[in-house]
Structure formats: C-alpha cells, structure tokens
Amino acid sequence: MAIITIETTPFEGQKPGTSGLRKKVPVFQEPHYLANFVQSIFDALDGIEGETLVVGGDGRFFNEDAIQIILKMAAANGIARVIVGQNGLLSTPAASCVIRKYGAMGGIILSASHNPAGKNGDFGIKYNARNGGPAPESLTDRIFENTKSIDRYVTSDASDASLGTIGTQSLEDMAIEIIDPVTDYAELMGSLFDFDKIKALFASGFIMQFDAMHAITGPYATAILEGTLGAAKGTVINATPLPDFGGGHPDPNPVYAKTLFDTMFGEDAPDFGAASDGDGDRNIILGRGCYVAPSDSLAILAANAHLAPAYQAGLKGVARSMPTSGAVDRVAEAKGLSFFETPTGWKFFGNLLDDGRISLCGEESAGTGSDHVREKDGLWAVLLWLNILAESGKSVADILSAHWQTYGRNFYTRHDYEAVDTASADAVMDGLRSNLNALVGQQFGDDTVTIAEDFSYTDPVDGSVTSNQGICIVFESSARMVVRKSGTGTEGATLRLYLETYEPDASKHTVETQDALAGLISVAEHISGIRARTGRDAPSVIS
Ligand code: G1P
Ligand code: ZN
C-alpha cells in the first residue's frame, strides 16, 4: 500500500449548481473526472488532517465505485476517519444527522436527488459542512476555482474497502467505520415526535401508504413506520433501493408518483399517503381524496408543529424560498413569528438555522425541514404530519380545509419547461430582465403590476449577497409570477414558471387549481413569451 500522486488536467464545467455537481454517469466515469472534483473539495478545506468525514449516497448506479475512489483519496489526503453507511447508503438527511452527531468536519453526499439513475442516468456529488448542511456559496466557489487549475491529486493503491461489513477497517492510516445507515436517524426521529401517540393511531386501524420509489427511503421508512410504529406490513411500497430506481423517476410529484395518487384518489383509499425522492429529502403528503401542495404543507406544519414534542415551545421563526407560495407568510404573521424569504436551494437556510432565527423552513419543490438537521427531510415531514394527525384526531382533508378557512387559500402551481435549448431559455430570462422597469404600473386584465424585480438576497447573518435568483412579478391583487432557470438539470435548460393567487373567500377554495390560476397563466405567457420563445405549446410537468 502506498500513497501516489496522479497528474491530471482540469475538466470544463465542474461548477456546483443548486445542489452540488450533477452530470450524466458516463461523464463521472471518465478517468480523473470524479477524482479532480474530490481533490478540489479537499484543497478548498482548511486543516483536514486528522479529521472525520462522512460519506454515503442514495445507492444509485456508480455510488459504490465513487465511494471507493473517495475513500482512497481521503486516506491519501490525511483524513483520520471516514464514517460510511453500510453498502454506501445514507439518505441526505441521515448524512446530515450523522455529520452532526459524530462531530465530523463534514460529509460527501453522492446523489442527483430526484433525477433518474442507471448507467446513462444522472449522478451527483456535494459537500456538506460541519453543521451538516450544504456548503455555502463561498466554499462551492472555492471548489470550482480549484477545478479550473488542478494539476494533480493524491490517492492510495490499496485494495477496495468492504462496504457491506459493519465495523471498523483501515485503509493506509485511516479508519473506515461502516455504520448501519438507519440507526442514528431513527433515534433522532424518536427524540422529536410522540411515537407512542403515532403507534396508537396505527393500532386503531389507521391505514397509510408510503411510496419509497425504489430509492433510499425504503429501509428508513420500513424500519420506522412498519418496525417501530407498527404500521401494517406492506405500508411501504417500492421499498427496495435499486441502482436505477426501477427505471423510474423518483420525484414525488403527481406525474412521477402517479400510482400513489391513483391509490389515494381511488376507492377505499388509505387515510394517509406520502412519498419521498431519490435521496430522501423531499416529501409529498396526501389524504384520502386530497393532495396537500408542498407550500400548503409548509404552512400547515408551521401552524401545527407545536403538537409535536420537539416544537411544543413554539417556533423561533420560519423561512421559505422565494418561489414558494406565501401561505406560510400568513401563518408567520398571525403567530408573530420572524419570517425570511431566501433564494432557491437549501443552503440558504443554513445560517438562519445555525443562528437560531428559524426552526422550520421549506420550498415549494416538496422540501420541508427544521433545525434537527441541516437538510430538508422527507420522512421527518411525514412523521410530523403523523404526529399532528394523531394528536388532533382530524383527517388530512379536514386539516387542509380548516387551514384555508383560517388563513385563506394561496392557489399555487409550478409549470416546468424541461430540456429546452439553453439559448431560448436565456432569451426568455434576458427578455424579462430588460423589461422589468417598463412592467411596473402596467395593467393586465383587472390587475396592475406593482413590483417587477430580479430577486436578490442579503443573508442577515453573514451579510453575503446572492443576486439574479429569478424574476419575480407581483400584482396589486397580491397575485405573483416567478420565472427562473433550474440549477439542477443536466440536459439543456429547464425553465420554471411559478404562479400564485390569493383567495380569502372559503366558498371559492374548492375550485381546481389550474382553473383558479387560468387568468394569471395567460398573463404570464404574455409577459414572458415562454411558449413562443421555447417553441413548446405546454409545460413538460405541472405540479
Ligand atoms: C430544485 C428545486 C429546489 C431544490 C433543488 C434541490 O432546484 O427547485 O427548490 O432546492 O432542486 O433539491 P432547481 O432545479 O429549481 O434549481
Ligand atoms: Zn432530493
């Protein structure tokens, strides 16, 4: 066994996006591609010698190969100990939990979240810092700078580690600890929620279906829901993680989680339905015959979190990403909670959570979380919902309609135009940007534009400024349209159009979402020219 230095040259385009570096598997398989990025991470960190690192991923194709490369490089870079989930598995929130629990310097998480996997699917890598959260922009910028000038990396010629064996092994002078991926996370969940109440709910005949979409949450959901909480066997479907996610697209939205939606809207539907994504950080919530839009779910959790032991004393504050609907703003206002609006991406919540300014946050893209870890957390949200259902004795549909009655309803939808060519996507964004000043004061139908801006965020904790985060156009009626370019895609560009109106009148709350928003949808097309410029006559996904 020896430590060796390998000469290399930079690859173009190793710039981390909304959530780490994501590329097609064959790109990551090119010799030196992954190693260059990993060395660039290590070189961007100060004093890594003697430290502990956590490594794990969502089990997608290339996960274990990548971990073997990382382990050898970690040893060569002087890291003292690496904690790895058995068989290379760790959900994203579990990785955050393990980093925090064992006081690690940080972790490398291997995932492309909800993007499809397999030989020609997507792969991804990101670095999470000591707080368990995604690296801040200052660090990802440093990593990117390193990728542009890298000329060598160090590794070991030792043989592969045995990822299936729980316990400690060594590689050069470094210890590798293989841990059960579920235990620490399950223990944390048990400390936050009233498991006895939830157990009693299941014992009373409450039926649930959880779709793990052949991705990472299978083992976690089976152990916690069926094992600890006594939900019926078979509650968790598609429970075995597969390297290609069974050929599916593990994004829990009405399109890709259709089976679950059909079940929940079918005859004899269960009481409660939920699903998570590829790496376990997203969630969707359904009741019998009803779907809770993620922005509403965030607002409902904010309004009811005190029913769970961890949040009994009340929330410190709440935050949402800019494109997320304003439903949670109304809860914050009514409860006198401090409130923050951040750019898209979980990394922007990190400082607010670390500084104790918020305890709950979320995004419209099916992400909700709290200060228990520094990632959004799919199963956590499901368990908080279960705790609220158990404590209140109400159904999901009752909770949803009561919430709208109290706070009014924010009708909300997101229209995605996927894989459009980059030039037309840029034309849409540039067209909007150059027209912002002229839009203010213009009338469309009965409504007038009051604000038209390119969203920019100043972090209240460290003062850092993040600009160009999406075009946001607000109308007098408080209707809002947002257009931004996705930062997680791997093919062409994806444009996201977010639309929202507010309806205080409870007699109008049951209107179908797309119908309620029809007027705004056509105004948004008029203002952005999205369909005309991309040549698409409809969005690829409506959620
Ligand atoms: C998407 C979501 C965003 C989320 C991110 C990572 O990013 O919109 O809310 O944080 O995935 O899960 P986007 O592709 O829009 O940049
Ligand atoms: Zn995810």
Side-chain angles (χ1 to χ4, degrees):
M1 288 197 301
I3 291 180
I4 45 180
T5 300
I6 310 278
E7 282 183 21
T8 187
T9 50
F11 287 91
E12 288 266 315
Q14 289 196 322
K15 184 172 170 58
T18 311
S19 188
L21 179 68
R22 292 193 187 163
K23 300 283 175 196
K24 295 281 172 211
V25 167
V27 175
F28 271 104
Q29 284 172 321
E30 282 175 48
H32 314 307
Y33 190 89
L34 175 69
N36 272 18
F37 191 74
V38 172
Q39 188 65 55
S40 299
I41 295 176
F42 290 149
D43 290 346
L45 301 168
D46 297 324
I48 62 174
E49 286 194 16
E51 287 276 9
T52 297
L53 181 74
V54 172
V55 179
D58 60 14
R60 65 179 61 227
F61 188 85
F62 197 57
N63 190 49
E64 293 202 19
D65 294 343
I67 291 178
Q68 298 292 357
I69 292 172
I70 293 166
L71 288 175
K72 288 168 197 167
M73 292 183 64
N77 278 278
I79 287 170
R81 175 168 80 137
V82 180
I83 300 175
V84 190
Q86 188 180 23
N87 298 318
L89 298 180
L90 274 178
S91 77
T92 294
S96 183
C97 157
V98 171
I99 293 169
R100 294 166 68 79
K101 178 167 176 178
Y102 295 96
M105 121 188 124
I108 293 180
I109 302 179
L110 303 161
S111 168
S113 188
H114 50 285
N115 294 3
K119 267 198 186 88
N120 295 306
D122 288 356
F123 192 76
I125 173 169
K126 68 170 182 174
Y127 183 75
N128 277 29
R130 202 176 281 282
N131 68 349
E137 298 253 289
S138 53
L139 179 52
T140 53
D141 287 348
R142 266 200 323 271
I143 295 170
F144 179 48
E145 283 311 307
N146 290 344
T147 68
K148 294 195 273 189
S149 58
I150 188 164
D151 56 8
R152 51 86 232 162
Y153 61 87
V154 289
T155 184
S156 156
D157 63 2
S159 50
D160 283 356
S162 154
L163 301 180
T165 318
I166 302 257
T168 306
Q169 40 193 295
S170 58
L171 197 161
E172 303 289 353
D173 292 334
M174 183 181 82
I176 299 176
E177 263 175 55
I178 309 286
I179 60 164
D180 178 82
V182 177
T183 309
D184 296 304
Y185 177 81
E187 191 187 292
L188 176 61
M189 292 302 113
S191 74
L192 302 174
F193 302 116
D194 189 339
F195 271 16
D196 288 338
K197 270 256 159 64
I198 304 175
K199 256 192 240 174
L201 180 71
F202 281 121
S204 72
F206 181 88
I207 312 270
M208 169 177 183
Q209 188 167 99
F210 180 90
D211 190 349
M213 303 186 92
H214 287 303
I216 190 71
T217 44
Y220 294 86
T222 308
I224 298 173
L225 298 174
E226 296 184 17
T228 309
L229 297 171
K233 295 269 167 283
T235 293
V236 183
I237 60 166
N238 301 318
T240 310
L242 298 173
D244 66 349
F245 300 141
H249 194 145
D251 190 0
N253 63 35
V255 175
Y256 300 127
K258 188 172 182 312
T259 322
L260 177 70
F261 276 78
D262 288 349
T263 304
M264 296 307 298
F265 281 90
E267 303 234 322
D268 294 326
D271 299 289
F272 186 50
S276 191
D277 71 332
D279 62 329
D281 56 0
R282 295 188 176 196
N283 75 90
I284 47 160
I285 300 294
L286 297 100
R288 182 178 299 134
C290 88
Y291 166 58
V292 186
S295 294
D296 282 341
S297 179
L298 174 64
I300 289 169
L301 294 183
N304 296 285
H306 60 276
L307 297 177
Y311 311 101
Q312 217 160 32
L315 303 173
K316 291 175 184 148
V318 293
R320 64 159 169 85
S321 64
M322 181 274 280
T324 302
S325 100
V328 72
D329 312 23
R330 297 176 189 277
V331 177
E333 203 187 335
K335 293 191 173 265
L337 301 171
S338 30
F339 166 79
F340 301 87
E341 184 183 34
T342 59
T344 295
W346 208 258
K347 59 187 166 213
F348 296 102
F349 295 131
N351 278 350
L352 300 173
L353 291 164
D354 283 349
D355 203 47
R357 297 189 186 218
I358 58 167
S359 14
L360 192 84
C361 46
E363 297 190 273
E364 50 68 39
S365 52
T368 10
S370 88
D371 50 7
H372 68 290
V373 290
R374 291 295 180 274
E375 287 281 1
K376 54 186 176 254
D377 189 343
L379 258 177
W380 165 88
V382 171
L383 292 166
L384 180 51
W385 261 97
L386 278 169
N387 202 148
I388 291 168
L389 292 169
E391 193 66 47
S392 68
K394 291 189 186 147
S395 71
V396 176
D398 286 347
I399 289 181
L400 185 59
S401 59
H403 186 89
W404 290 339
Q405 208 144 25
T406 308
Y407 297 98
R409 177 169 181 188
N410 288 67
F411 281 100
Y412 182 83
T413 190
R414 185 176 102 184
H415 289 191
D416 292 336
Y417 292 79
E418 293 179 339
V420 302
D421 69 83
T422 310
S424 2
D426 289 340
V428 171
M429 297 307 294
D430 293 344
L432 277 164
R433 225 169 256 134
S434 60
N435 199 25
L436 289 178
N437 290 338
L439 274 172
V440 178
Q442 269 193 48
Q443 191 164 348
F444 296 90
D446 301 339
D447 228 348
T448 306
V449 174
T450 50
I451 302 171
E453 60 175 18
D454 194 346
F455 184 67
S456 172
Y457 176 66
T458 304
D459 185 306
V461 180
D462 66 15
S464 59
V465 177
T466 311
S467 304
N468 301 321
Q469 293 301 300
I471 304 298
C472 176
I473 298 168
V474 184
F475 298 83
E476 208 166 29
S477 67
S478 84
R480 197 169 72 122
M481 63 173 273
V482 172
V483 187
R484 59 178 283 280
K485 229 167 91 172
S486 154
T488 57
T490 57
E491 231 173 282
T494 292
L495 282 173
R496 304 200 196 284
L497 172 61
Y498 311 78
L499 303 144
E500 173 180 10
T501 56
Y502 177 66
E503 179 55 75
D505 180 352
S507 72
K508 296 183 184 154
H509 286 167
T510 49
V511 179
E512 212 279 318
T513 303
Q514 300 302 314
D515 294 340
L517 292 165
L520 181 61
I521 292 170
S522 67
V523 168
E525 168 56 22
H526 182 81
I527 293 179
S528 67
I530 215 170
R531 296 186 190 189
R533 281 190 158 120
T534 60
R536 300 281 172 88
D537 53 13
S540 340
V541 180
I542 294 180
S543 49

